[in-house]
Amino acid sequence: MGDLLDAVGLSGFASRYPHQLSGGQQQRVALARSLAVGSRIVLLDEPFNTLDANLRASVRADVHAILRDAEATAILVTHDQDEALLMADLVAVIRGGTIAQLAPPGDLYDNPVDADLASFVGDANLVGGSASGDLVNTPLGPLTVRRSNAQAPEGPVTVLIRPEQIDVNRGAGDPGAPAKVLSADFHGSDTVVRVTPDRDDLPPKLTARVLGNHDFPPGTTVRIAAHGTVCAWPVPEGDESVDPTTAQP
């Protein structure tokens, strides 16, 4: 048992009762109990949701490392998308009682199966475009469709542009579409900028994520353009309920 306590960072706490431990230490005790009986599969049902933000991050990292060292399979149930993308080798998104997509975190984020799932996993800008071959023309500029796209689209499409793929520039001569800043929230490593484009063929609101601290007061006139490769899905013919030019991010 001493080796397990060492593994979960609780050496020297063997004589304490659970109520004498912090929340993070109690989580480690629960994990040690599971591993003590030789469990090869561990179920973690929202194990970190009672911890404060700073403690949650450190305990999550510790638990991740312990499970890898023990070579145990863990099933993590969580509503925290960041947590799922950070910890899992495979992420299953359950929609309507069935698994909508099962994929590694990077594939799930970059190549969602449809526009609804794209909007559910992370922030998504859904923009209308016209695809031909590997290229799709959008109001934010021509973009390349990922070769991993499940279905090579042709004609009218809905295009997924993640916030980090949108450039925000102040110069009147910069490429892209004109827009006005609605808000800019600084998060330390980056700034989330929300804009309203001055074009009818774009959604009324788009979200960009730019590195560093940028001063974009509300009302600032900017130009927005997109870069990188994208996912695109055909707009069903005759389906009036699907209008990518008015899709909300």
Side-chain angles (χ1 to χ4, degrees), residues 127-208:
V127 175
S130 178
S132 178
D134 291 338
L135 293 177
V136 56
N137 288 314
T138 78
L140 298 180
L143 298 166
T144 301
V145 178
R146 292 193 183 99
R147 293 190 178 277
S148 54
N149 214 143
Q151 181 179 2
E154 291 284 340
V157 292
T158 300
V159 182
L160 166 62
I161 302 176
R162 293 295 187 186
E164 60 272 18
Q165 293 181 270
I166 294 184
D167 301 317
V168 183
N169 301 298
R170 295 177 187 270
D174 287 321
K180 284 191 176 181
V181 173
L182 296 174
S183 65
D185 300 323
F186 179 52
H187 292 270
S189 61
D190 55 35
T191 302
V192 175
V193 185
R194 294 175 178 84
V195 301
T196 178
D198 188 18
R199 289 184 60 144
D200 293 336
D201 54 359
L202 281 170
K205 295 180 182 178
L206 292 173
T207 301

Side-chain angles (χ1 to χ4, degrees), residues 5 8 10 18 21 24-34:
L5 291 178
V8 297
L10 291 177
L21 302 173
Q25 290 168 337
Q26 290 178 22
Q27 296 285 8
R28 293 185 179 93
V29 168
L31 182 59
R33 286 172 173 168
S34 298

Side-chain angles (χ1 to χ4, degrees), residues 45-47 49 76-84 120:
D45 187 3
E46 301 202 32
N49 64 339
L76 171 66
V77 179
T78 179
H79 288 87
D80 186 328
Q81 292 187 14
D82 290 339
E83 190 168 274
F120 178 74

Side-chain angles (χ1 to χ4, degrees), residues 48 50-60:
F48 314 115
T50 60
L51 306 178
D52 63 56
N54 291 332
L55 185 59
R56 185 184 304 127
S58 62
V59 173
R60 186 167 55 197

